[in-house]
Amino acid sequence: MTAIRIAVVGMGKIARDQHLPSIAGNPDFEFVASVSPRDPGVEGVANFRSLETLLANGPAIDAIALCTPPQVRHELASMALAKRVHVFLEKPPGATLAEVHALKTQATESGTTLFAGWHSRFAAGVAPAKAWLTDRKIERVSIVWREDVRVWHPGQAWIWEPGGLGVFDPGINALSIATEILPQPFFLTAATLSTPANRAAPIAADLTFRSTLGTLISMDLDWRQTGPQSWDIVVETDAGTLSLAKGGAVLTLPSGTVHNDDEEYPGLYTRFASLIRDGRSEVDTTPFTLVADAFLRGTRTSVEAFND
């Protein structure tokens, strides 16, 4: 079948580290253009300063991957969908829930694929964890997601601004896994958001959720951890304890530990190609809803200023 001609919009770290290699390794796609007002792009591939210019004057494209900050994503996605170009939204899918729902409606009306990609759901341990938990009684869940923001988001001012999510930018990865593997839905009951005195978004958060069956789920987020990073989910059940470490890559069950290769972003592009071929969209906003609830219901505390 003819390859899907794709452009990458926003040529930052995540695009270069994850999207470009995954596109290059997937025969369903052909990388034909990039969009960035500052980055020169990739040698041999056309680069444009704006998506509008690409759509008007560039090579023909079938799809785009939007890797920009979420605050500007709606306008760009809507522009592409209006031209019947399929759209892959990096996480989080937007700056607000309402704009993501509007994009979903627009995609349906235009017959175009919209894919909200949750890369952590494609970590090696997630699918087998979900299968193992299906018939278990969940007794307690603990999520610890602690990392060093200076390592993963150096100098990215947008992430501290309204709509940038702060520590929930990585935290939403944990929620995307938890909402995928746990058998029952869950909702927020309490949260404390710690926000630096000079920033608009939190640097740490403590959250408590409860499932529809009453199971307690605790979540500890912190962007101030140095040294080894912590991306762990532990689920206590009536059949023993399940743990996911290294962001879902390493699964430990009562029967032993399973290690598999990282397939997060390659898996995302396999799914995106399948959705396009089938004429479907996939826009799960559940992790984003839980983050929005934390901002809506959480108690805010001011902590010491943060500077890169």
Side-chain angles (χ1 to χ4, degrees), residues 132-133 233-243 252-255:
W132 191 83
L133 289 170
I233 298 176
V234 176
V235 184
E236 299 173 23
T237 80
D238 58 344
T241 299
L242 172 152
S243 68
T252 301
L253 299 171
S255 57

Side-chain angles (χ1 to χ4, degrees), residues 20-290:
L20 297 186
S22 297
I23 291 169
N26 190 323
D28 286 326
F29 290 96
E30 178 187 1
F31 177 41
V32 298
S34 62
V35 175
S36 176
R38 289 175 293 276
D39 191 284
V42 176
E43 185 176 356
V45 177
N47 184 68
F48 297 83
R49 293 182 62 83
S50 71
L51 178 58
E52 185 176 20
T53 303
L54 167 59
L55 293 172
N57 304 315
I61 60 172
D62 305 302
I64 62 169
L66 268 179
C67 304
T68 65
Q71 294 97 324
V72 300
R73 209 169 286 162
H74 173 267
E75 180 182 357
L76 297 170
S78 180
M79 186 186 306
L81 293 172
K83 296 290 187 180
R84 300 182 63 83
V85 171
H86 309 294
V87 175
F88 174 174
L89 298 170
E90 245 292 357
K91 65 85 192 174
T96 69
L97 281 162
E99 67 185 46
V100 178
H101 290 307
L103 289 175
K104 185 176 180 180
T105 298
Q106 184 179 356
T108 299
E109 292 174 347
S110 65
T112 310
T113 292
L114 180 66
F115 177 39
W118 300 105
H119 65 82
S120 292
R121 287 182 173 175
F122 290 84
V126 173
K130 179 179 181 178
W132 191 83
L133 289 170
T134 299
D135 298 319
R136 314 292 179 190
K137 178 183 177 183
I138 311 299
E139 297 175 347
R140 184 173 179 83
V141 181
S142 172
I143 302 170
V144 177
W145 225 254
R146 290 173 159 248
E147 62 182 47
D148 187 346
V149 65
R150 290 185 172 94
V151 172
W152 301 101
H153 298 281
Q156 295 182 18
W158 63 266
I159 213 161
W160 297 105
E161 297 169 356
L165 298 191
V167 75
F168 286 99
D169 180 81
I172 205 170
N173 294 334
L175 290 171
S176 74
I177 295 174
T179 53
E180 179 72 6
I181 67 173
L182 296 177
Q184 287 83 38
F186 57 93
F187 54 91
L188 184 80
T189 58
T192 299
L193 312 184
S194 300
T195 304
N198 60 336
R199 304 288 182 173
I203 197 169
D206 290 308
L207 307 102
T208 303
F209 302 92
R210 190 173 76 233
S211 79
T212 52
L213 294 183
T215 305
L216 289 179
I217 302 165
S218 64
M219 187 173 195
D220 172 10
L221 303 177
D222 204 315
W223 248 353
R224 298 167 296 193
Q225 178 149 307
T226 58
Q229 311 286 274
S230 303
W231 301 296
D232 304 304
I233 298 176
V234 176
V235 184
E236 299 173 23
T237 80
D238 58 344
T241 299
L242 172 152
S243 68
L244 281 168
K246 298 187 181 299
V250 179
L251 169 65
T252 301
L253 299 171
S255 57
T257 300
V258 179
H259 298 261
N260 286 309
D261 293 335
D262 176 23
E263 290 294 327
E264 289 188 17
Y265 278 86
L268 284 170
Y269 277 94
T270 298
R271 177 68 61 84
F272 189 33
S274 175
L275 292 170
I276 292 171
R277 303 295 190 203
D278 294 343
R280 298 184 295 118
S281 290
E282 185 173 292
V283 188
D284 180 12
T285 57
T286 308
F288 199 15
T289 298
L290 293 170

